[in-house]
Amino acid sequence: MTKITTCEVDTALDLITGKWKHSILLLLINGESLRFSELKRALPKISQKILTAQLRDLEEQEVIVRTVYPEVPPRVDYQLSEYGKTLIPVLEAMNEWGIRHAEKMRTR
Amino acid sequence: MTKITTCEVDTALDLITGKWKHSILLLLINGESLRFSELKRALPKISQKILTAQLRDLEEQEVIVRTVYPEVPPRVDYQLSEYGKTLIPVLEAMNEWGIRHAEKMRTR
DNA sequence: TGGTATAGTTACTTAAAAGATACTAATGAA
DNA sequence: TTCATTAGTATCTTTTAAGTAACTATACCA
């Protein structure tokens, strides 16, 4: 077994943490490709500024792909990159743990 | 496949995020049981206040166990609970992803 | 009598993340 | 000519997380 190191875990955490990033990722996992406005609608409480910032972060890490269509009004869509898909097992592990944890907290 | 939900992922994230929590967890995974002062030494830049706060959080979620020995000077040690050990696969998934990500970023 | 050790607490400050609100460019449609 | 649409920016404010520094209790040891 490879030893788990703080540093490598940090790297993965950076991509998932923040109030919104993992929600964005999950939408893109489940919904294929989504426009800016669709993400905004799916996360009604996020502000445009924050949504933009988070998307830019994810794009910079090459986890999502941003496609601009030269139309008016503008159209931009976001999808998980092939690379981003490698995050799915990580989110799955967290999801499974979360389900068990919720159950545990419910029955105590 | 179970659908990954924001809410369950959130639960797991809460336990791992913050500047120090996952480092504390990793120390306890690798080092069995550690005293407050040992954790402090292992994380030289954390303040006592924050270390206490993070440990209390983890204890409240039943992820770690706090044992007080009625001695003077006081002795308190912390260890992963059986339940806490169920987090190991989650950290492992993140660790593996982190290693691959580091490699990718290095070779681009 | 004063110093040392451990595991904290308390009160205050700073930095980082997030939020609110108003604004823009370009085009077509009424 | 004005309005609607989309994907943003720019500025300012608030909230949350983290950090700093000083203080405490208790017993032992010199």
Side-chain angles (χ1 to χ4, degrees), chain A residues 75-98:
Chain A
R75 180 155 70 100
V76 176
D77 75 29
Y78 295 91
Q79 49 191 301
L80 223 54
S81 65
E82 278 312 303
Y83 180 55
K85 289 179 188 163
T86 63
L87 266 173
I88 295 177
V90 178
L91 291 163
E92 254 166 14
M94 294 176 57
N95 187 56
E96 266 159 46
W97 193 90

Side-chain angles (χ1 to χ4, degrees), chain B residues 20 23-24 27 38-47 51:
Chain B
W20 300 106
S23 305
I24 295 170
L27 285 167
E38 291 173 312
L39 288 164
K40 182 82 189 57
R41 258 190 297 282
L43 305 168
K45 293 192 182 162
I46 200 175
S47 72
L51 180 53

Side-chain angles (χ1 to χ4, degrees), chain B residues 12 21 43 50 52 80 83-85 94:
Chain B
K21 266 183 202 157
L43 305 168
I50 301 295
T52 305
L80 222 56
Y83 179 54
K85 288 179 188 162
M94 294 176 58

Side-chain angles (χ1 to χ4, degrees), chain A:
Chain A
M1 188 195 114
T2 320
K3 197 188 168 195
I4 307 178
T5 61
T6 298
C7 158
E8 313 299 355
V9 172
D10 259 335
T11 308
L13 269 176
D14 273 0
L15 270 150
I16 300 171
T17 56
K19 193 166 170 186
W20 300 106
K21 265 182 203 158
H22 64 286
S23 305
I24 295 171
L25 289 172
L26 294 179
L27 285 168
L28 293 176
I29 287 174
N30 295 320
E32 291 298 305
S33 132
L34 292 171
R35 298 181 61 167
F36 184 88
S37 53
E38 291 173 312
L39 288 165
K40 183 81 189 58
R41 258 190 296 282
L43 305 168
K45 293 192 182 164
I46 201 175
S47 73
Q48 285 181 291
K49 180 197 151 187
I50 301 294
L51 180 54
T52 304
Q54 308 299 286
L55 289 168
R56 290 289 183 282
D57 270 11
L58 292 169
E59 191 194 357
E60 205 168 308
Q61 303 292 314
E62 299 176 27
V63 163
I64 63 173
V65 177
R66 176 173 181 265
T67 312
V68 181
Y69 300 89
E71 303 174 359
V72 170
R75 180 155 70 100
V76 176
D77 75 29
Y78 295 91
Q79 49 191 301
L80 223 54
S81 65
E82 278 312 303
Y83 180 55
K85 289 179 188 163
T86 63
L87 266 173
I88 295 177
V90 178
L91 291 163
E92 254 166 14
M94 294 176 57
N95 187 56
E96 266 159 46
W97 193 90
I99 290 169
R100 284 210 279 162
H101 186 71
E103 208 147 298
K104 188 188 168 170
M105 291 295 131
R106 200 167 45 72
T107 60
R108 74 173 178 178

Side-chain angles (χ1 to χ4, degrees), chain B residues 7-52:
Chain B
C7 158
E8 314 299 356
V9 171
D10 258 337
T11 308
L13 269 177
D14 273 359
L15 271 149
I16 300 170
T17 57
K19 194 166 170 187
W20 300 106
K21 266 183 202 157
H22 63 286
S23 305
I24 295 170
L25 288 172
L26 294 179
L27 285 167
L28 294 176
I29 286 173
N30 296 319
E32 290 299 302
S33 133
L34 292 170
R35 299 181 60 169
F36 184 89
S37 54
E38 291 173 312
L39 288 164
K40 182 82 189 57
R41 258 190 297 282
L43 305 168
K45 293 192 182 162
I46 200 175
S47 72
Q48 287 181 292
K49 180 197 150 186
I50 301 295
L51 180 53
T52 305

